[in-house]
């Protein structure tokens, strides 16, 4: 194998800023940050999500970000900081790198939703469908 997931994570970690749950909990009220949950819908149903988070399935991310795509979501055209998260932080680190390469101001939530929830930060059960 030319490049494995560990190599890809290391490369992404070198260029993506990761933010802690504590930092994000303090910034959620600001409005300049969009939390983007890239987990599978079944994970969200089972565990909940960060209040106000926008669900963007990982498999559609490139298409939702690109304004030329017929699947483009206007939320990704906003001048905001996008903080991607998954369960543990691996998928979101790769997603944030991709989003950066596509021109977004993107970050990754270190430790993911699992660490967020364990720290006692708020959890919602309603998914924001469209932005």
């Amino acid at each position: 194998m030319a490049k494995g997931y560990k190599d890809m994570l290391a490369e992404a970690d070198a260029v993506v800023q990761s933010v802690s749950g504590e930092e994000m909990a303090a910034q959620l009220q600001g409005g300049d940050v969009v939390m983007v949950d890239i987990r599978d819908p079944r994970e969200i149903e089972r565990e909940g999500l960060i209040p106000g988070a926008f669900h963007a399935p990982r498999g559609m991310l490139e298409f939702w970000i690109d304004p030329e795509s017929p699947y483009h979501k206007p939320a990704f055209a906003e001048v905001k900081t996008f903080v991607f998260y998954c369960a543990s932080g691996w998928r979101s680190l790769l997603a944030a790198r991709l989003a950066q390469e596509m021109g977004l101001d993107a970050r990754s939530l270190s430790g993911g939703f699992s660490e967020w929830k364990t720290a006692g930060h708020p959890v919602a059960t309603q998914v924001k469908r469209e932005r």
Side-chain angles (χ1 to χ4, degrees), residues 105-123:
D105 179 8
R107 312 272 188 275
S108 178
L109 182 64
S110 61
F113 184 73
S114 298
E115 201 169 288
W116 174 273
K117 196 171 178 179
T118 299
H121 296 300
V123 174

Side-chain angles (χ1 to χ4, degrees), residues 48-126:
L49 73 164
I50 294 173
F54 173 51
H55 180 235
R58 177 62 190 95
M60 291 299 293
L61 199 54
E62 294 88 338
F63 305 102
W64 283 21
I65 292 173
D66 188 344
E68 305 264 333
S69 165
Y71 302 103
H72 173 69
K73 298 293 181 189
F76 288 115
E78 296 176 19
V79 180
K80 304 269 185 176
T81 298
F82 295 89
V83 178
F84 292 85
Y85 72 91
C86 61
S88 65
W90 288 4
R91 291 174 287 174
S92 60
L93 186 58
L94 297 175
R97 180 178 185 188
L98 169 84
Q100 279 184 348
E101 290 173 354
M102 294 183 78
L104 297 183
D105 179 8
R107 312 272 188 275
S108 178
L109 182 64
S110 61
F113 184 73
S114 298
E115 201 169 288
W116 174 273
K117 196 171 178 179
T118 299
H121 296 300
V123 174
T125 56
Q126 295 295 326

